[in-house]
Amino acid sequence: MIAIGCDHGGFKLKGAVIDFLKQNGYEVKDFGTDSEQSCDYVDYAKKVAFAVAGGECEKGILLCGTGIGMSIAANKVKGIRAAHCTDYFSAKYTRMHNDSNIICIGERITGAGLALELIKVFLETEFEGGRHAIRVAKIAELEK
Ligand code: RB5
């Protein structure tokens, strides 16, 4: 199950992402928001981050205007490694090296075509483990 959430700044992109995920066989849980009415990205980052950190959803997608507010908020939740991505290499390597469990994208920055490619590679790429697992474990230590 993939968790998805957005604020008003990411609302249009969220529709395209949900269609894309369903067409590609993913189950999606939509945590809102449900319109372009102004709202606070933190509330949706929290819902998605808790769903991922708690194990209800295996990965998460957060969309806002820049992707930055969502990533700052989601990374406050224990167990979350949220990556703000604007390019293909980062979306791939944050899975391989950081075992990121949420990708954050800005609708006002990244076009829908690229956003879907970033999400596709993020969801399909496995964590490499090894030396990277040691580093991720050190991140978890910081949360204590
Ligand atoms: C909303 O205007 C905007 O601030 C928000 O979508 C996001 O870009 C915050 O980081």
Side-chain angles (χ1 to χ4, degrees), residues 7-10 38-39 41 63-72 106 108:
D7 72 352
H8 54 289
S38 183
C39 62
Y41 59 82
L63 311 168
C64 64
T66 59
I68 296 173
M70 286 294 198
S71 64
I72 292 171
R108 296 172 187 161

Side-chain angles (χ1 to χ4, degrees), residues 123-136:
L123 295 178
E124 289 177 354
T125 303
E126 296 295 326
F127 179 47
E128 270 184 3
R131 68 188 188 281
H132 301 295
I134 295 165
R135 295 161 187 167
V136 170

